[in-house]
Amino acid sequence: MTEQKLYHFQQHVREAILNGRNIILQAPTGGGKTRAAIEPGLIGFNRDRRRKTYDYPPRIIYLQPMRTLANSAVGKLQEASGEGAWAKEWYPTIQTGDQPDDPLFEGKLIVATVDQMLASFLTLPYSIPRRLDNINAGAMLGSYLIFDEFHLYPRNEMMLTVLAMLKMLQGISRFTIMSATFSATFLQAIAKVVDAEFIGDPSCTVAADSIFTDVTNIQTQQRTWYAESGRLDADAVNRLRGRRTICVCNVVDRAQKLYDDVRCQIPDADCILLHSRFYQSDRKGIQEALLDAFKDDKNAPNRDIIVIATQVVEVGLDISADVLLTECAPAASLIQRAGRCARRENQEGRVHVFQPVGEDGSVSYSPYGNAKDEDGLEAVCRLTWEAISSSACNGQVIRFAEEQRLVDLAHGEMDRQFVDGLVSKVDSRMREITDCLAVRNDSCLSQLIRNIASVPLFIHPNPKGNTTASESGTGDEGLTIQPFRYESLSVSRGQISHLIKITLELDPDAEIPMFGCDGVGIRDQGGDDAMTKTTYQWTRLREGNEVFGGAYAWFAVEPFAVSYRSDTGFGFGAADQPAPPSPLSEQKSRESSAFIADTYVEHISGLNYAYSRPLTIKGRDHLPLHDEFAYPLSVLCSVFNEDVALGERMLRLALALHDVGKLNRRWQTWASAWQHYYAQHLGTPTRPADGTPLAHTDTAYDRRDPALKKLASDFKHPPRGTHAVESAEAVFTVLFNASGRHPIWTAITTAAIMRHHTPDAETCEAYRMVENAQSALVESLRVCGFDAEADTWVGQIVQTFDGSGSNLLKSVKMIANSASNRDMKPLFFYLLIVRILRLADQRSGDALRHSHPLF
């Protein structure tokens, strides 16, 4: 990403990726893995742009297991892109729970959490309305996926699902998996399962034979490790601290207590606390202060700096301390933590490891283990402590080769158990993924991504809101409409249950201050994306046991029951002042945009423009959607032996005909009446009601303006009805003939048109096409490149019907059944087609403003 010389292993990775191979990379912390993985993808971008070909993935998705890692990674990449070497449309975007800045995965280089990506692939995406469930999965097809810090993925959920997904995408999407702290044997076994090339040192490699001998900083760093008796407390910090000291606790509560104690007992030092339970604005300020305090690590600071943190500092922060004090954790995690100490070339540092002590004074490895040690990490922690306490580690300098031996000692048995029978485990997980894709059940997420001990918690005085009043724009919607617009905090179910228990112990008749989200509804209010509404139902909890199980994935608590300080973050238990409610995130929502009227032909022209021309929308540059579509279509056709030209033809046909349902008399009557109403109350409309078929009306719909919402609700006219399934019913014969009577391509395109607004749409209403529709349809087909066929196909469109025919249901069943039967061809093509159609539909208004001076 900069022009500095490549290390040997980076050159190896570059050549392998550019030659189409997938990579499993093991390299030391601070060794340059990020550059090794991302730079070949950028070279691919440049080659495609220069040659005007589509031989490389059109998108890089750089995946992290934690939000804080993603935040750190995108900052570094944005800084690199600002140096001028990258095209402006490659500017990195981020998609996480607290920074949902690219919710539809539209960027060229996206940093995201693995949770966000997997949920999108499963068609159950986080952070966007449920009506958009089918828009993101297609973004994973043909992309270059980079999985960083692979050792942090929950093995039996996320890790297995990633491996199974990569098997399903073999030959379709390229990937690199990276880690510093897995055994080479483990990574080599994974490489074999997913048909990837392992790049790293084999087991038991001595330093002189390492492929990283030219990485100067890791050869000259010197960290001496010590096993400490007693607990990690303020006395230990004062005794062992350096000029820059990092203290890592395994749980937030201990980190908060240590912070308060250190501030009291060591007043001559600057103290910073960082963990996962801060609102974004506070966390951003803390991280900026931390990075500023460490930016000049070659010179001593004016005052000692003590950072107290949890696992959030293990990876992703490019800081270097003199001393690291840490509670014992799995060896892989300790090595990552040690990577924040003596990180630079020729630096020396000390790593002191303490046994973690719980409230009762006994050793507690939570959150890594539990009483039954079902995940095996309790045993790993104990083996780690034994190894560090031994003469081979205690008081010794530990470098990369010794780190790998520590990993083998502590994790070896668990690694062997995981890779034993891995092929059958991955095969079983593939069946679970296809079952989830077929039925789209939210309960799949905990099984396939994280068996979530931690869940999102919102702080809100009235999550249920006043939904009746909010419909007219006069009431509080609470968390019933797009709750993900608000920042959430990550807490464990056990802590939520404990809060409920304490509340009931104090007063058995008390009203529990905790709510759970237990339902989602989608209401199509006319078939336009901005008018299709997703609502979330919240229920007040009655007892602690309700927290567990699959009924609730999101929770909310009333502010008086918890605490929050800008320097210490969120805490359970009431304080003198109620906690501040969850703030709105900085997400930019398309739903706040109002439409302006356009004719049917203008709308289709806008879609075709978005498909074939670059656009700038709200300051973000977008390449033509064709450029996103071409590579994944070509690799899908190669894998499934289909015709690329036919696939592109059917996509363009979907662009031209997806809104035929709006040519219904009912829809056009409503549109004409609204334009008259608009003229009476709001001024001259963009398009007069002169009988020309419309695709959109001028609309006062804007969630931010209650007065405009009320005006829209006061419009008394029979509703316009839906249009997406009606479109598919009307044009089914055209799709069948245009595909050469190909049943799969007919089903794919039919389903994409049916579900270009709501992902579960199946039935339609009565339809009577307006008399003057034919000329608009002919012109729209010609706009999309079908000059010769336009008149014939318009003659095949059904103009009158009373409901859905059997062909539509057969189409969606073919796609769902193909997933159940592990035939991914129809589903993958459908997900790609419906994504491009929906994005073009969303961008059409902006495209018209680019292409037509009237707009």
Side-chain angles (χ1 to χ4, degrees):
M1 295 178 304
T2 61
E3 292 303 316
Q4 68 186 60
K5 181 181 177 181
L6 289 174
Y7 297 127
H8 172 72
F9 87 92
Q10 292 172 330
Q11 184 67 41
H12 189 169
V13 171
R14 173 187 285 193
E15 293 172 359
I17 292 172
L18 291 176
N19 286 319
R21 298 196 295 276
N22 297 315
I23 301 300
I24 308 290
L25 172 63
Q26 182 189 41
T29 56
K33 295 188 297 296
T34 301
R35 180 187 181 188
I38 287 181
E39 198 167 72
L42 298 178
I43 292 171
F45 287 174
N46 194 52
R47 289 183 181 178
D48 269 355
R49 183 178 65 167
R50 189 173 66 249
R51 300 172 181 173
K52 300 188 184 308
T53 57
Y54 305 98
D55 298 327
Y56 293 91
R59 176 182 293 106
I60 301 170
I61 307 179
Y62 180 37
L63 298 153
Q64 294 279 8
M66 298 163 59
R67 294 176 181 182
T68 51
L69 301 183
N71 295 342
S72 174
V74 78
K76 293 177 184 177
L77 292 172
Q78 288 173 346
E79 182 180 351
S81 72
E83 295 173 357
W86 296 2
K88 61 181 181 178
E89 63 267 19
W90 304 353
Y91 187 76
T93 62
I94 185 168
Q95 179 58 28
T96 67
D98 58 359
Q99 285 191 265
D101 296 342
D102 196 356
L104 304 186
F105 286 80
E106 295 177 90
K108 289 281 287 180
L109 172 54
I110 305 165
V111 180
T113 54
V114 186
D115 306 66
Q116 292 275 342
M117 184 278 298
L118 286 179
S120 290
F121 180 72
L122 296 169
T123 65
L124 295 166
Y126 303 129
S127 301
I128 59 176
R130 294 304 302 269
R131 60 181 174 76
L132 297 173
D133 277 1
N134 62 358
I135 198 170
N136 279 358
M140 313 310 149
L141 303 175
S143 289
Y144 172 34
L145 308 174
I146 301 172
F147 298 90
D148 201 1
E149 310 300 349
F150 198 61
H151 66 283
L152 292 178
Y153 298 13
R155 294 193 178 200
N156 293 323
E157 297 90 34
M158 182 183 289
M159 188 179 291
L160 268 181
T161 300
V162 166
L163 296 176
M165 182 191 75
L166 295 179
K167 284 283 287 184
M168 296 169 68
L169 294 177
Q170 193 164 14
I172 298 169
S173 299
R174 301 186 193 180
F175 66 86
T176 292
I177 293 175
M178 304 190 295
S179 178
T181 48
F182 265 135
S183 66
T185 301
F186 181 88
L187 293 176
Q188 287 168 330
I190 287 176
K192 186 175 182 180
V193 169
V194 295
D195 191 24
E197 178 179 344
F198 171 73
I199 297 177
D201 285 340
S203 295
C204 303
T205 299
V206 297
D209 297 331
S210 173
I211 66 170
F212 306 106
T213 52
D214 60 334
V215 186
T216 308
N217 65 317
I218 67 169
Q219 301 300 330
T220 60
Q221 297 161 348
Q222 183 168 303
R223 304 185 191 108
T224 306
W225 288 48
Y226 301 92
E228 297 290 339
S229 60
R231 69 171 71 203
L232 176 53
D233 56 18
D235 289 337
V237 174
N238 197 27
R239 174 169 51 89
L240 297 170
R241 63 175 163 143
R243 299 308 306 271
R244 291 182 177 86
T245 305
I246 298 176
C247 309
V248 185
C249 300
N250 291 345
V251 295
V252 173
D253 292 346
R254 285 204 295 272
Q256 290 172 322
K257 183 179 186 307
L258 181 60
Y259 171 78
D260 284 335
D261 291 345
V262 166
R263 290 190 69 193
C264 290
Q265 298 181 37
I266 313 178
D268 62 329
D270 292 330
C271 194
I272 299 172
L273 175 64
L274 180 63
H275 55 73
S276 60
R277 295 188 204 156
F278 283 101
Y279 288 142
Q280 182 180 342
S281 59
D282 292 327
R283 181 167 60 248
K284 182 178 179 181
I286 291 168
Q287 287 180 326
E288 287 175 352
L290 188 156
L291 292 173
D292 184 66
F294 279 76
K295 66 182 179 182
D296 180 15
D297 51 32
K298 293 181 180 179
N299 298 301
N302 294 328
R303 284 165 54 92
D304 286 358
I305 299 165
I306 300 172
V307 175
I308 297 168
T310 57
Q311 297 92 326
V312 297
V313 298
E314 282 186 13
V315 281
L317 285 177
D318 187 14
I319 57 177
S320 184
D322 311 312
V323 175
L324 174 75
L325 310 179
T326 175
E327 293 181 336
C328 188
S333 295
L334 288 185
I335 291 167
Q336 292 290 344
R337 296 176 190 183
R340 308 315 115 186
C341 176
R343 188 174 177 83
R344 316 290 181 216
E345 183 177 343
N346 295 317
Q347 287 186 339
E348 297 183 7
R350 292 180 281 117
V351 176
H352 299 266
V353 183
F354 298 77
Q355 284 280 53
V357 179
E359 292 181 0
D360 62 357
S362 63
V363 173
S364 170
Y365 285 109
S366 177
Y368 297 105
N370 52 47
K372 297 180 181 178
D373 196 22
E374 294 172 352
D375 56 10
L377 288 176
E378 176 91 18
V380 170
C381 290
R382 296 189 184 283
L383 288 171
T384 300
W385 178 252
E386 290 176 10
I388 292 170
S389 302
S390 71
S391 59
C393 289
N394 191 12
Q396 303 299 315
V397 174
I398 306 295
R399 292 196 175 96
F400 183 58
E402 292 80 18
E403 290 173 350
Q404 294 309 108
R405 283 193 281 275
L406 177 59
V407 169
D408 287 340
L409 283 171
H411 294 266
E413 182 57 32
M414 188 173 74
D415 287 356
R416 284 187 287 273
Q417 290 176 8
F418 183 78
V419 300
D420 184 34
L422 185 58
V423 172
S424 63
K425 293 175 186 175
V426 169
D427 191 64
S428 177
R429 180 54 48 90
M430 288 170 63
R431 286 194 294 272
E432 293 167 349
I433 291 173
T434 53
D435 288 345
C436 180
L437 287 167
V439 301
R440 296 181 50 252
N441 187 335
D442 278 10
S443 65
C444 299
L445 297 177
S446 61
Q447 176 187 2
L448 300 180
I449 302 179
R450 289 184 194 265
N451 187 7
I452 306 176
S454 295
V455 291
L457 176 70
F458 301 92
I459 303 176
H460 198 284
N462 182 25
K464 298 176 71 172
N466 184 350
T467 54
T468 301
S470 68
E471 288 294 328
S472 62
T474 60
D476 175 26
E477 295 173 335
L479 297 176
T480 64
I481 306 297
Q482 290 188 293
F484 42 79
R485 292 178 300 167
Y486 297 87
E487 291 186 35
S488 63
L489 299 159
S490 180
V491 302
S492 73
R493 293 179 186 267
Q495 289 168 315
I496 294 175
S497 178
H498 183 69
L499 176 62
I500 295 173
K501 179 181 177 182
I502 295 299
T503 301
L504 292 176
E505 285 178 352
L506 294 173
D507 181 359
D509 298 322
E511 192 172 51
I512 303 299
M514 189 72 62
F515 298 79
C517 181
D518 62 347
V520 178
I522 303 175
R523 188 171 73 210
D524 190 339
Q525 298 176 294
D528 288 324
D529 262 350
M531 296 291 284
T532 304
K533 187 175 182 180
T534 306
T535 58
Y536 297 77
Q537 287 79 50
W538 292 85
T539 300
R540 188 182 290 274
L541 303 187
R542 296 162 298 179
E543 59 181 34
N545 288 337
E546 288 185 280
V547 174
F548 304 100
Y552 305 108
W554 294 352
F555 294 87
V557 65
E558 293 174 309
F560 71 85
V562 291
S563 64
Y564 185 93
R565 280 172 33 196
S566 60
D567 64 334
T568 59
F570 173 82
F572 283 96
D576 294 337
Q577 297 293 326
S582 296
L584 282 167
S585 70
E586 297 179 359
Q587 180 183 10
K588 300 175 181 64
S589 173
R590 291 180 180 271
E591 288 198 288
S592 63
S593 300
F595 282 114
I596 58 174
D598 55 15
T599 68
Y600 187 91
V601 174
E602 288 169 341
H603 178 51
I604 302 306
S605 299
L607 269 82
N608 186 65
Y609 189 103
Y611 177 64
S612 57
R613 303 279 294 277
L615 281 172
T616 300
I617 302 174
K618 296 181 180 179
R620 180 176 293 176
D621 295 301
H622 297 277
L623 293 173
L625 284 167
H626 171 268
D627 292 9
E628 173 177 338
F629 181 59
Y631 178 80
L633 177 66
S634 68
V635 293
L636 283 171
C637 287
S638 176
V639 168
F640 294 118
N641 195 29
E642 289 291 338
D643 180 9
V644 172
L646 177 58
E648 204 270 342
R649 171 185 173 91
M650 298 307 290
L651 182 276
R652 286 187 289 111
L653 192 56
L655 298 179
L657 300 179
H658 74 287
D659 269 354
V660 167
K662 289 184 177 180
L663 300 175
N664 193 355
R665 291 177 192 169
R666 177 182 177 184
W667 204 99
Q668 292 296 321
T669 300
W670 180 94
S672 179
W674 171 259
Q675 290 299 94
H676 282 298
Y677 181 80
Y678 186 98
Q680 292 170 2
H681 294 87
L682 295 172
T684 304
T686 306
R687 286 285 180 273
D690 60 2
T692 304
L694 297 176
H696 296 105
T697 58
D698 292 300
T699 176
Y701 181 82
D702 189 330
R703 292 195 188 280
R704 299 168 298 181
D705 193 327
L708 292 181
K709 288 172 64 178
K710 187 175 187 307
L711 180 66
S713 69
D714 289 343
F715 176 55
K716 305 303 180 186
H717 193 278
R720 56 185 165 176
T722 57
H723 73 272
V725 183
E726 289 81 357
S727 298
E729 180 68 26
V731 306
F732 182 84
T733 300
V734 177
L735 302 178
F736 183 60
N737 291 330
S739 69
R741 299 175 175 263
H742 194 306
I744 293 179
W745 275 109
T746 304
I748 290 165
T749 317
T750 299
I753 291 174
M754 288 174 67
R755 295 180 166 179
H756 78 271
H757 283 305
T758 51
D760 297 315
E762 291 188 352
T763 59
C764 67
E765 302 168 350
Y767 182 83
R768 303 290 183 270
M769 185 182 287
V770 293
E771 290 76 8
N772 59 342
Q774 283 81 1
S775 60
L777 287 167
V778 168
E779 188 174 351
S780 297
L781 283 164
R782 288 175 175 166
V783 163
C784 294
F786 300 108
D787 295 83
E789 304 95 332
D791 290 306
T792 300
W793 284 348
V794 169
Q796 295 172 358
I797 295 174
V798 180
Q799 299 186 27
T800 302
F801 50 83
D802 294 319
S804 307
S806 60
N807 287 323
L808 302 195
L809 191 57
K810 288 178 182 177
S811 295
V812 293
K813 280 188 174 180
M814 175 185 289
I815 291 170
N817 291 340
S818 72
S820 297
N821 298 328
R822 298 182 66 180
D823 173 15
M824 303 310 296
K825 177 164 73 173
L827 179 63
F828 281 173
F829 277 114
Y830 157 73
L831 291 172
L832 180 60
I833 295 284
V834 78
R835 172 176 174 79
I836 301 302
L837 174 58
R838 295 198 73 166
L839 290 178
D841 200 20
Q842 290 184 1
R843 297 179 188 177
S844 62
D846 295 282
L848 282 175
R849 285 184 277 275
H850 272 255
S851 62
H852 200 297
L854 179 63
F855 290 85

